[in-house]
Amino acid sequence: MDNFTARFNDSLKSSNLKGAKHILANLPGEPDRVCREVFQRLVLVPEDTAWELLMFLSEISFRTPDIRGRLFKVIQNRAELNFQFLPILYRAGTQKIIQESTPLMKQVLSNEIDTGILMETIRAVGKYKITALVDEISEYIYFDNEELKTHTIQALERIGTPRALRLLENAATTVKCDPSILDAISILKSSPDLVQKVAPPRNKDCNKADICRELESTDLETRFNAFTRLQVLDGESIHWLKQNLLSTNHDLVINTIEIIGTTISTTMVPPLYRLLADKTIPNTIRFAAYEALGAFPEFIEPAPFLLDDMDAPALHLRMAAINLLDKTPTDLVLSEIKNRIETGRKKGEMLAETILDIKAGNIIESLMVSDTFAYIASNYLLKQAAISPLQGYIDILMGRGLTATASKFSLTLERRLKENRPTALVLGRSKTVLAVYEKLLYRKGYAPLLFLSCQDALKSIAEAAPELIVSDLFLNGTTFVEFALQIQKHYLPRELTFVISTLQQAFMGNKLGSLCAGIGVQEIFEFPAGPKHIPSPW
């Protein structure tokens, strides 16, 4: 270790931030090797210290773009664990760095509650004109926070694409309309180059043959990039994708369905209904279609195939169908569910248990008048169910003022929480995926930890290694391969056990070869991975 690095480490050990900054001020004059050593050290220091020193370094000029790029990579890595580091990127990053941080910014806009971080992110979207995030930021027009609303309107005006204009025009038809929205619309409509601003990317994005080939690609990165590129377009731009639902290529159909679920174009609902009416389609496609329909703000109408799949032998299909019906349950649907449960048959019991597992609140509320359901619920929740369904039922009882009944279940919950079970961390893209694996893992003997956010999951893993990590191959904004590389900053691949599943046939088994072997994954299973694929914790 040379003198510079030794002095820097000494200042950190003595918590001398002023001294550390004095030393770092001379870092640009040191060899690249020393810069890299300092950056590696900053990956591991406590958050408060890291924030101070990385902010200080971001304001210093380095001799080569490569070293500055390495510095920003460190900041990105810290930001993945703590969004508070993102403002450093926003203030000092380049257009390229900010573009690379788009998935992380999308996570912030979807999950963050800190108003300061949200405002910084919305401003950055406008400043760097991140067109892929216009839909995400537009949601903040409707929040009861005038600052967020103002920054959002300014960002959309700065981005100035037809999509940004359309989102502002949509807001102008609601109670949130005010002079600032109307002014922004007026300014954009008077812009002579509004259409030209996005014409080249739109032509590229809608090169139909190329996009379909990429969605079918056996290269993981190519397929994921095509998938994410289409996700940020509006429903009108991808209407042509409905023809893919007729394809014999399983994965092209799967990816098309998932894109429909993110763009939420109501014109795509009838093609999904027609697809689901075909009883011969595989469970993977049925499940994906239910998940896509579940993304729509309001479910259109129950169909016969949905009522059939409430009783499907496959757990994930039952959960997906019930989760969808729970969005806007009709009297007819609720009556049918109640009748099936009260038949006294095994299927009725299985239906009741699945309703509890997926925490279908609206349906459960309607069934509280049924003695049969109450009996099944009590028997199942007190003897077999995982933590979340038990907690969900307690919440409903408390909401109805049934505190005496709730206390009986609360005692069971307290006892379950004290059980000495090994942990299994589950990272998925939807409520249904998490519910499926919670049930399977709890039955296997694990204590499941459930996450939709990659950042939250990574924080949990960094704090304590779980016995098992269960994940989708494709996650929200990234792939498990990229996520596993983040995990490797804390653990070697051999120190963790992974169970990875997917709906995409091209990547099942060991078809990803060395790519998976490098992150400690031997095989990828069809979702959901069955009990035989989940190692015993004992």
Side-chain angles (χ1 to χ4, degrees):
M1 183 183 299
D2 72 352
N3 186 45
F4 185 95
T5 309
R7 286 188 295 118
F8 177 63
N9 286 338
D10 287 342
S11 68
L12 292 178
K13 288 176 185 176
S14 61
S15 300
N16 183 1
L17 275 179
K18 185 176 180 181
K21 289 180 181 179
H22 180 74
I23 294 167
L24 290 177
N26 299 308
L27 184 60
E30 295 294 320
D32 289 358
R33 173 186 56 80
V34 175
C35 293
R36 289 194 293 270
E37 288 175 358
V38 169
F39 295 160
Q40 288 169 4
R41 186 75 175 84
L42 288 172
V43 171
L44 303 173
V45 299
E47 287 187 343
D48 290 347
T49 301
W51 195 93
E52 286 279 348
L53 298 182
L54 289 171
M55 174 63 84
F56 177 77
L57 284 172
S58 71
E59 298 169 352
I60 294 176
S61 297
F62 286 87
R63 289 178 301 174
T64 65
D66 177 62
I67 291 298
R68 189 158 184 80
R70 285 178 180 272
L71 170 63
F72 283 118
K73 195 65 182 173
V74 173
I75 299 170
Q76 280 179 321
N77 291 340
R78 298 296 310 223
E80 286 167 359
L81 291 172
N82 186 339
F83 291 151
Q84 297 291 335
F85 285 84
L86 272 173
I88 304 177
L89 280 182
Y90 299 156
R91 292 167 194 166
T94 62
Q95 182 75 35
K96 180 176 182 293
I97 290 289
I98 302 302
Q99 287 285 357
E100 290 173 356
S101 302
T102 298
L104 192 54
M105 296 166 74
K106 186 173 183 178
Q107 284 188 45
V108 172
L109 294 168
S110 301
N111 302 311
E112 186 55 68
I113 58 173
D114 184 290
T115 302
I117 296 296
L118 286 169
M119 282 198 292
E120 293 266 13
T121 300
I122 292 168
R123 275 201 297 261
V125 171
K127 175 183 176 181
Y128 294 97
K129 299 187 178 181
I130 311 298
T131 57
L133 296 178
V134 290
D135 286 79
E136 280 74 12
I137 66 170
S138 70
E139 294 295 323
Y140 289 94
I141 292 176
Y142 305 97
F143 276 50
D144 292 327
N145 186 308
E146 284 302 316
E147 282 188 289
L148 289 176
K149 179 181 177 182
T150 299
H151 284 298
T152 298
I153 294 167
Q154 291 171 349
L156 290 171
E157 180 186 330
R158 186 179 178 89
I159 291 168
T161 62
R163 179 61 179 167
L165 173 59
R166 189 179 304 120
L167 291 167
L168 287 167
E169 288 176 329
N170 290 345
T173 65
T174 71
V175 294
K176 290 294 182 179
C177 182
D178 64 16
S180 65
I181 291 177
L182 297 177
D183 288 346
I185 291 171
S186 176
I187 290 169
L188 289 181
K189 282 189 172 180
S190 65
S191 173
D193 60 341
L194 177 65
V195 176
Q196 285 76 7
K197 285 182 181 179
V198 292
R202 178 61 59 89
N203 291 337
K204 179 181 177 184
D205 284 334
C206 290
N207 189 328
K208 301 175 185 179
D210 287 346
I211 284 292
C212 287
R213 277 194 295 270
E214 290 171 9
L215 287 173
E216 297 172 337
S217 173
T218 54
D219 179 78
L220 179 66
E221 186 175 354
T222 299
R223 185 181 291 199
F224 183 74
N225 286 342
F227 179 67
T228 53
R229 186 146 51 97
L230 283 172
Q231 278 185 313
V232 299
L233 297 179
D234 58 87
E236 295 173 14
S237 302
I238 54 92
H239 184 67
W240 59 271
L241 277 175
K242 68 179 182 181
Q243 67 194 37
N244 291 350
L245 297 177
L246 304 175
S247 173
T248 57
N249 185 302
H250 173 276
D251 287 5
L252 180 60
V253 177
I254 287 286
N255 281 324
T256 300
I257 290 171
E258 295 200 1
I259 291 164
I260 291 171
T262 56
T263 53
I264 313 180
S265 169
T266 53
T267 61
M268 303 296 267
V269 171
L272 283 180
Y273 267 59
R274 287 193 292 272
L275 180 69
L276 284 163
D278 180 0
K279 295 183 178 181
T280 65
I281 61 172
N283 284 350
T284 46
I285 291 177
R286 294 193 79 80
F287 177 81
Y290 284 143
E291 289 281 87
L293 286 170
F296 285 74
E298 290 188 7
F299 181 53
I300 314 303
E301 63 173 284
F305 53 75
L306 259 173
L307 299 177
D308 289 342
D309 281 337
M310 287 195 311
D311 293 329
L315 171 66
H316 62 302
L317 272 191
R318 293 200 305 275
M319 284 192 175
I322 291 167
N323 187 49
L324 189 52
L325 287 169
D326 190 57
K327 289 178 72 71
T328 50
T330 64
D331 290 340
L332 176 65
V333 167
L334 294 174
S335 175
E336 179 65 23
I337 291 173
K338 184 171 179 287
N339 289 340
R340 291 191 191 189
I341 289 173
E342 292 183 340
T343 59
R345 296 173 187 163
K346 191 67 179 175
K347 274 191 174 182
E349 184 179 338
M350 184 173 68
L351 174 58
E353 290 177 1
T354 308
I355 289 168
L356 292 163
D357 286 331
I358 196 66
K359 300 187 291 295
N362 291 322
I363 296 175
I364 293 173
E365 287 279 5
S366 75
L367 290 170
M368 295 300 281
V369 297
S370 168
D371 291 340
T372 305
F373 177 76
Y375 173 79
I376 294 171
S378 180
N379 193 50
Y380 176 61
L381 293 170
L382 294 176
K383 294 179 181 179
Q384 302 176 50
I387 298 297
S388 293
L390 181 54
Q391 181 63 69
Y393 195 67
I394 291 170
D395 291 343
I396 288 175
L397 290 172
M398 294 297 290
R400 296 173 71 91
L402 303 173
T403 52
T405 308
S407 63
K408 176 179 68 172
F409 293 94
S410 296
L411 289 173
T412 300
L413 177 63
E414 289 174 15
R415 189 169 62 252
R416 296 254 180 94
L417 289 171
K418 293 176 183 177
E419 290 176 344
N420 186 24
R421 288 171 171 247
T423 57
L425 183 142
V426 183
L427 180 57
R429 288 194 293 165
S430 73
K431 168 189 172 182
T432 312
V433 170
L434 296 185
V436 168
Y437 276 126
E438 182 181 27
K439 184 181 182 77
L440 294 175
L441 289 163
Y442 192 83
R443 279 185 173 179
K444 196 80 175 183
Y446 289 98
L449 302 174
L450 310 176
F451 294 95
L452 290 171
S453 162
C454 292
Q455 187 191 36
D456 292 343
L458 197 57
K459 279 184 180 178
S460 176
I461 293 168
E463 290 170 3
E467 186 78 14
L468 179 69
I469 296 176
V470 180
S471 175
D472 283 347
L473 179 60
F474 279 16
L475 299 167
N476 293 319
T478 188
T479 67
F480 180 76
V481 175
E482 291 297 320
F483 181 72
L485 294 176
Q486 297 298 319
I487 296 175
Q488 288 182 9
K489 294 171 184 174
H490 305 282
Y491 305 98
L492 296 173
R494 66 174 179 271
E495 295 180 287
L496 298 169
T497 302
F498 301 104
V499 172
I500 312 303
S501 61
T502 183
L503 295 174
Q504 310 209 28
Q505 291 179 344
F507 303 130
M508 292 177 190
N510 59 0
K511 293 174 184 175
L512 288 177
S514 59
L515 188 62
C516 277
I519 57 172
V521 175
Q522 303 304 317
E523 186 176 2
I524 295 175
F525 305 106
E526 177 180 312
F527 174 82
K532 66 180 181 181
H533 301 133
I534 299 172
S536 172
W538 312 114

